[in-house]
Amino acid sequence: MTAVTVRAPAKINLHLGVGAPGADGFHPLTTVYQAIGLCDDVTAGPSLDWDLAVTVPAWMDAAGIPLLGENIVDRAAALLAAHHDLAMTGEVVITKAIPVAGGLAGGSADAAAALVALDRLWAAATSDDDLLALAALLGSDVPFALVGGTALGTGRGEVVTPIDDRGTWWWVLVPSDEGLSTPKVYRHFDKLFPDAPATPPPADALLDAVASEDPLRLAELLHNDLQLPAIDLRPDLGRLIDRGQNEGALRGIVSGSGPTCVFLCESADHARDLAGALGHHADGREHPAVLVANGPVAGAHLVEYV
Ligand code: ATP
């Protein structure tokens, strides 16, 4: 074998309910994830050593991506190697398309893709259950990046239950020029909501809206408990959401902990029109990128094996 390439999707949260932090400091979540067609690829080839490189599209600033030794892909590789008592070897390239520190779980996608790619490269034949358990050790969003589709996430988000979603939902994504730290947004949530419940309530109404396949209904029920703290820290996000909605989006929300804002549209054409209208900031500066993606799509999967 010369190389194996695995593709893993970004996620958005159709619902993100956040509870008060537990004794371990983690926030309990009730979330509904959707995997969308904006994906990173991880390619792994044989080598006697371990090497990791990252390539980014022209619009993306690579500065925020930790390199060899610090990347989440290094952690994924170390964990899988230790699980099987194997040497950690391979020549790995991450091809990014998912904005970094954007609330789209791009790092988690890379970790999930790396687990699947290295499992193949090393012929380790890890069971699905073990892969999911290793994924949960790497981060709360990593199990979902393996599973994909649309799914309910509980616990810290790592307990993933797939949901039957027969819709095709069209999204416009507007990444920000500047990242927003996830821990900072959670700290601000704690300050704004000191009385958050120990367990966030279920997302049943949202799940009904997903089942309806009706974007107008889904638009009404999209919900993110981190939106208020994110906008409080970054008022420009609130202005962007208002602009998108004024330009005809069915609804705009902050994705996860932000700062990417996502806009639900009625159709592919509607999404392309909206993306055209949102190409620039209100003051005329260009956004680094405005992306159109649909969901749900598959979780981490093999796209090339040569
Ligand atoms: P979170 O999953 O924490 O909500 P996010 O979706 O906002 O994060 P990510 O793109 O996953 O954003 O990046 C979060 C941080 O993870 C980055 O700031 C970066 O320092 C670190 N990181 C480690 N490995 C990677 C990777 N392969 N790609 C992107 N970021 C990485």
Side-chain angles (χ1 to χ4, degrees), residues 64-66 70-73 94 96 99-108 110 141 182 257-258:
I65 306 174
E70 306 284 322
N71 201 283
I72 192 166
V73 167
I94 306 172
K96 298 284 306 176
V100 178
L104 297 167
S108 302
D110 299 348
D141 294 338
T182 302
S257 58

Side-chain angles (χ1 to χ4, degrees), residues 36-123:
I36 58 168
L38 172 66
C39 299
D40 284 355
D41 284 353
V42 171
T43 300
S47 169
L48 295 175
D49 307 310
W50 173 252
D51 194 26
L52 179 68
V54 183
T55 65
V56 299
W59 58 265
M60 192 185 287
D61 182 5
I65 306 174
L67 294 177
L68 183 65
E70 306 284 322
N71 201 283
I72 192 166
V73 167
D74 291 273
R75 288 179 44 221
L79 206 60
L80 186 68
H83 182 73
H84 294 289
D85 204 12
L86 289 168
M88 178 172 144
T89 60
E91 192 161 325
V92 176
V93 179
I94 306 172
T95 307
K96 298 284 306 176
I98 306 173
V100 178
L104 297 167
S108 302
D110 299 348
L115 286 176
V116 175
L118 294 169
D119 178 61
R120 274 299 172 104
L121 182 72
W122 298 338

